[in-house]
Amino acid sequence: MDTTISSKLFAEAQQHMPGGVNSPVRAFKSVGRDPLYISRAKGSKIYDVDGNQFIDYIGSWGPMILGHAYQSVIDAVKTAAEDGTSFGASCEKEIELAKLVKKFVPSIQIIRMVNSGTEATMSALRLARGFTGREKIIKFEGCYHGHGDSFLSKAGSGVATLSLPDSPGVTRSTAGDTLNAKYNYIKSVYDLIEQNKGGIAAVFIEPVAGNMGCVAANTEFLQSLRDVCTSEGILLIFDEVMSGFRVARGGAQELYGVTPDLTTFGKIIGGGLPVGAYGGRREIMNLIAPAGPVYQAGTLSGNPLAMTAGIETLRIIDDDPEFYTRLSNSCEYLYEGFRNNLSELKLAYTLNTCGSMFTLFFTSDVVTDFDSAKTSDTAKFKSYFGRMLDNGVYLPPSQFEACFTSSAHQKEDLDRTLTANYLALLERR
Ligand code: KE4
């Protein structure tokens, strides 16, 4: 596969940006190749500057659940752009998107729009501390909640991919206020609560984790988390930046029937444009300025173009009651094909799935937390990734990320993926 132009661009980019990229995981560092430079994308396909076509399972790391460049989203954004790109003032579209999110996620009584998942989680953290008057938080090893200081300890995603120690630049006092529990192991939470009685403001969790690879919480664990937070006056915060509108219409909280106090959103809510959000119970959210004393602000929050892309994306899903059923059926077809490939090749690798999120872990262990995810053979993943790419399938360049399908992935795409997967695994044996 010729990737000459991508490599030339990457060489130049490294003269201008750290590591040549604007987000670390894009650098393909852990898979030992130069990153591809993408020129365009449509539906299930993505095209690089050398003219190579790929079936895309990154989907911009989650937002593109309708596939790339969905025509009515593009048309709506084009039309909106004619009226201006930013006002620094309120617009009706903010109300429209807020109402749509509330329709999908009933636990949201009040919501604040921001510009990224990181902003959403940072703001929810400040709010939780303001509401409870407490300072510590519990997160889970392997979960990633954006690059806010308080979350960069034992984090997943790019931090895990690059095997970075807890990030330099985060002060000891900040890191000291973040406690790490083990995913799917409720006793680790109980122990931290006992050791920090009355001092914990919130528990943050990815209810379906995507940042250690795809690892879903088990139901009793999540329900126990809800119960102990309620009894201890701790806010339960679901980080649904990735799982929201992805694993079910109402996200993981609908899938599990567990209601958090606050939820953070990103990715799909913006339809590919920069939108994050946090929301939840009115009594908590109304502490946010100007309604209350907890300050949070943003020049481009509620941006009319970003609101337009989010509104159009959620409207398309909202108008299609069979959307998630069809998506789930096509995913099940793919997953069954993966499992058939593995059994035919007598390979005991672990496939974790949740709705249209999945990860093939190169380990025979059951993967239920970060420690078990890390038993994966990342060298085997690296050569598998390369073979899949050479065979026209674009996967996340990390064992510790989730793959995403979309409603644009057709049976022909899935069959091509399964053939590529069989060949890539065959050579790996
Ligand atoms: P952003 O700031 O990247 O919009 O969102 C941060 C974030 C928060 N919470 C969860 C559960 C997330 O998955 C993310 C971001 N996800 C990564 C992919 N694993 C973004 C990709 C990247 O960092 O380039």
Side-chain angles (χ1 to χ4, degrees):
M1 176 170 69
D2 178 15
T3 57
T4 310
I5 302 173
S6 277
S7 293
K8 276 193 184 137
L9 290 172
F10 185 49
E12 183 185 0
Q14 291 173 79
Q15 312 304 316
H16 308 295
M17 291 164 276
V21 293
N22 285 310
S23 197
V25 74
R26 298 180 195 169
F28 275 36
K29 246 191 167 167
S30 72
V31 292
R33 298 170 76 121
D34 286 350
L36 299 181
Y37 277 69
I38 303 305
S39 57
R40 65 187 180 89
K42 183 73 176 174
S44 60
K45 306 295 188 303
I46 202 159
Y47 303 84
D48 71 10
V49 292
D50 290 285
N52 300 304
Q53 179 202 89
F54 303 92
I55 302 168
D56 180 23
Y57 288 95
I58 298 183
S60 181
W61 302 96
M64 311 322 292
I65 196 166
L66 300 179
H68 290 286
Y70 194 92
Q71 203 50 53
S72 68
V73 175
I74 299 296
D75 294 344
V77 171
K78 278 179 175 175
T79 304
E82 296 292 340
D83 294 335
T85 54
S86 179
F87 311 131
S90 296
C91 66
E92 186 178 356
K93 289 175 177 175
E94 295 168 275
I95 302 168
E96 279 181 65
L97 186 55
K99 286 163 71 175
L100 262 173
V101 173
K102 290 171 73 171
K103 187 177 177 187
F104 276 67
V105 190
S107 70
I108 306 299
Q109 295 175 331
I110 299 285
I111 188 169
R112 167 62 61 88
M113 306 292 176
V114 294
N115 300 283
S116 69
T118 293
E119 256 194 285
T121 57
M122 284 170 65
S123 308
L125 169 52
R126 184 180 307 128
L127 173 59
R129 286 172 165 156
F131 180 76
T132 62
R134 303 175 182 181
E135 297 192 356
K136 294 193 184 304
I137 62 164
I138 291 176
K139 68 175 283 292
F140 292 86
E141 292 175 17
C143 284
Y144 176 73
H145 304 289
H147 63 84
D149 279 4
S150 297
F151 298 112
L152 285 183
S153 76
K154 297 188 176 69
S157 187
V159 181
T161 302
L162 303 173
S163 306
L164 294 175
D166 299 339
S167 172
V170 177
T171 63
R172 275 193 299 277
S173 58
T174 298
D177 283 334
T178 299
L179 309 169
N180 272 286
K182 282 178 75 66
Y183 201 80
N184 277 325
Y185 183 49
I186 193 66
K187 185 181 179 307
S188 67
V189 178
Y190 293 154
D191 291 348
L192 289 172
I193 291 173
E194 269 318 299
Q195 295 151 19
N196 298 273
K197 205 75 174 158
I200 296 170
V203 170
F204 271 80
I205 189 164
E206 291 181 60
V208 176
N211 290 290
M212 49 180 122
C214 179
V215 180
N218 61 54
T219 306
E220 53 279 14
F221 163 72
L222 221 43
Q223 188 54 60
S224 304
L225 211 46
R226 172 66 281 171
D227 296 343
V228 71
C229 284
T230 302
S231 60
E232 296 287 334
I234 297 169
L235 294 188
L236 178 58
I237 302 178
F238 276 10
D239 179 354
E240 296 223 50
V241 166
M242 190 181 278
S243 58
F245 319 104
R246 169 64 64 179
V247 298
R249 177 187 159 89
Q253 53 198 272
E254 175 189 284
L255 190 66
Y256 286 90
V258 175
T259 303
D261 299 297
L262 294 176
T263 305
T264 56
F265 299 103
K267 299 181 193 282
I268 292 172
I269 193 176
L273 293 195
V275 180
Y278 62 104
R281 287 172 29 209
R282 184 181 307 279
E283 62 175 322
I284 305 172
M285 287 301 297
N286 279 341
L287 255 68
I288 290 290
V294 179
Y295 196 71
Q296 182 269 310
T299 301
L300 296 175
S301 298
N303 173 273
L305 300 197
M307 294 294 104
T308 299
I311 290 164
E312 193 58 27
T313 298
L314 294 189
R315 265 198 195 137
I316 286 154
I317 296 172
D318 191 32
D319 292 346
D320 179 358
E322 295 307 309
F323 180 83
Y324 289 98
T325 306
R326 279 201 318 278
L327 186 56
S328 175
N329 291 341
S330 89
C331 290
E332 280 314 314
Y333 176 83
L334 181 68
Y335 303 152
E336 190 187 343
F338 277 134
R339 293 193 178 97
N340 291 341
N341 285 356
L342 289 168
S343 61
E344 259 183 67
L345 295 166
K346 296 182 177 37
L347 291 169
Y349 298 143
T350 296
L351 178 69
N352 277 7
T353 72
C354 185
S356 52
M357 288 171 63
F358 67 94
T359 298
L360 179 61
F361 289 98
F362 283 74
T363 179
S364 55
D365 288 5
V366 175
V367 178
T368 56
D369 61 16
F370 197 30
D371 286 341
S372 44
K374 285 191 289 187
T375 64
S376 302
D377 183 328
T378 51
K380 284 186 178 172
F381 172 80
K382 176 178 171 180
S383 55
Y384 169 77
F385 171 86
R387 288 186 171 82
M388 290 292 273
L389 198 66
D390 292 342
N391 290 332
V393 179
Y394 190 70
L395 300 174
S398 163
Q399 174 69 92
F400 306 110
E401 293 285 359
C403 300
F404 303 96
T405 62
S406 80
S407 53
H409 283 69
Q410 304 302 315
K411 185 176 180 300
E412 186 247 341
D413 297 319
L414 306 181
D415 288 336
R416 275 178 54 199
T417 303
L418 292 169
T419 303
N421 177 63
Y422 187 86
L423 295 173
L425 290 173
L426 188 64
E427 295 174 58
R428 264 303 331 146
R429 274 196 309 177

